[in-house]
């Protein structure tokens, strides 16, 4: 996705592939810059986020003119003299989109080829990534890896938490297993999605007993009304004791 920022021209029709938060963020931003944008996702955009909160953000994208194609897979790309033909498939039905540009906004992968990491005693896992322990240490005890190089889809808040724990471990001998139980994460759409803790679907999967779901529309918030930013809601998933629990806001 980094290459999109090198483009100085208006994108007439941008087709974006990928389920990452960056795909949704860029779809909205580039639509606001005046181009047509189609977002292609093989499932539901923003997987792993609370579906109710994700739906609010995606509805705003749709209202602004982003063509969101869920449960849709790109099949082929055809080069043409006036542009690009993108063949997509949903179920058994196929359709060809006329695009001016294509953006692949998938997860980043570590560029390990040519580094000769084996000479440093760093081994790979069966999937080709780096073999890491829960603390982020490779098979070379002097080398730790965080972020995109791990092959895991981590957001900056989680990466920062892991890096801070590593520094505390190296400088103050604190064990790496100690971690913040609920690291916040965000998707920078408008409205933004901010979550901390577990979502309602995850609470149900874990069969947590006695939890309650509380919702408050931003239209009922004084500051949101003064700033005319009332599109969205606050959602709390509260434990049975009324004190401990996850929550989210969009």
């Amino acid at each position: 996705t980094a290459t999109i920022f090198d483009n100085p021209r208006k994108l007439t029709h941008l087709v974006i592939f990928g389920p990452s938060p960056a795909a949704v963020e860029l779809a909205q931003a580039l639509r606001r810059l005046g181009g047509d944008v189609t977002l292609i996702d093989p499932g539901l955009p923003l997987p792993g986020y609370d579906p109710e909160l994700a739906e609010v953000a995606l509805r705003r994208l749709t209202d602004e003119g982003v063509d969101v194609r869920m449960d849709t897979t790109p099949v082929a790309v055809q080069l043409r003299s006036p542009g690009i033909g993108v063949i997509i498939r949903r179920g058994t039905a196929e359709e060809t989109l006329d695009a001016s540009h294509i953006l692949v906004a998938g997860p980043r992968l570590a560029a390990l080829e040519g580094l000769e990491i084996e000479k440093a005693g760093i081994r790979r896992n069966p999937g080709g990534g780096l073999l890491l322990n829960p603390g982020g240490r490779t098979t070379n005890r002097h080398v730790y890896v965080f972020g995109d190089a791990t092959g895991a889809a981590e957001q900056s808040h989680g990466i920062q938490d892991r890096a801070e724990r590593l520094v505390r471990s190296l400088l103050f001998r604190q064990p790496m297993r100690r971690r913040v139980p609920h690291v916040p994460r965000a998707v920078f759409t408008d409205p933004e999605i901010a979550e901390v803790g577990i979502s309602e679907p995850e609470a149900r999967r874990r069969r947590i007993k006695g939890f309650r779901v509380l919702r408050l529309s931003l239209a009922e918030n004084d500051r949101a009304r003064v700033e005319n930013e009332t599109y969205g809601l606050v959602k709390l998933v509260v434990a049975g004791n009324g004190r401990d629990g996850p929550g989210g806001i969009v």
Side-chain angles (χ1 to χ4, degrees):
T1 57
T3 57
I4 192 69
F5 301 104
D6 297 328
N7 180 73
R9 301 178 181 177
K10 177 182 176 180
L11 306 181
T12 307
H13 181 197
L14 176 67
V15 175
I16 302 178
F17 301 148
S20 68
V24 180
E25 295 165 353
L26 289 169
Q28 185 178 46
L30 293 167
R31 173 58 185 161
R32 290 185 173 186
L33 290 174
D36 291 334
V37 178
T38 301
L39 178 63
I40 307 295
D41 197 295
L44 181 69
L46 302 176
Y49 287 85
D50 187 292
E52 182 178 4
L53 303 183
E55 196 275 334
V56 173
L58 292 172
R59 186 167 65 244
R60 169 60 71 85
L61 263 69
T62 301
D63 291 343
E64 293 182 356
V66 177
D67 186 4
V68 180
R69 302 293 187 98
M70 296 179 287
D71 299 318
T72 302
T73 305
V75 177
V77 174
Q78 302 172 337
L79 295 179
R80 302 174 178 176
S81 54
I84 306 169
V86 180
I87 302 176
I88 59 176
R89 177 184 298 154
R90 182 175 185 182
T92 58
E94 289 191 356
E95 181 182 353
T96 300
L97 304 177
D98 293 319
S100 62
H101 298 77
I102 295 175
L103 173 65
V104 179
R108 297 181 179 180
L109 301 176
L112 302 177
E113 302 303 325
L115 296 180
E116 299 184 351
I117 59 176
E118 293 78 9
K119 292 183 178 179
I122 300 175
R123 296 167 52 197
R124 301 193 189 195
N125 60 37
L130 297 174
L131 187 62
L132 306 173
N133 73 2
R137 187 171 69 184
T138 67
T139 48
N140 181 327
R141 66 186 184 89
H142 299 293
V143 179
Y144 290 78
V145 176
F146 299 120
D148 297 326
T150 65
E154 274 192 296
Q155 287 204 330
S156 56
H157 299 84
I159 297 169
Q160 179 178 339
D161 171 57
R162 287 161 61 85
E164 288 177 352
R165 288 187 290 112
L166 172 60
V167 171
R168 288 196 295 266
S169 174
L170 296 176
L171 296 182
F172 306 112
R173 303 300 182 184
Q174 294 182 5
M176 276 292 292
R177 65 177 178 271
R178 296 176 62 184
R179 60 178 301 175
V180 178
H182 300 306
V183 178
R185 55 185 184 157
V187 180
F188 298 105
T189 50
D190 179 18
E192 297 178 353
I193 299 176
E195 292 188 355
V196 61
I198 63 174
S199 64
E200 179 185 358
E202 188 175 355
R204 297 191 186 282
R205 285 194 300 269
R206 294 186 184 183
R207 298 183 180 179
I208 298 176
K209 296 181 179 180
F211 75 87
R212 293 182 298 156
V213 178
L214 308 177
R215 297 175 179 84
L216 176 67
S217 170
L218 292 186
E220 302 177 47
N221 181 274
D222 292 341
R223 177 172 176 175
R225 294 172 67 177
V226 169
E227 295 181 350
N228 197 28
E229 294 289 347
T230 57
Y231 191 95
L233 75 150
V234 177
K235 179 177 181 179
L236 297 176
V237 182
V238 185
N241 58 18
R243 294 175 299 175
D244 303 319
I249 180 171
V250 63

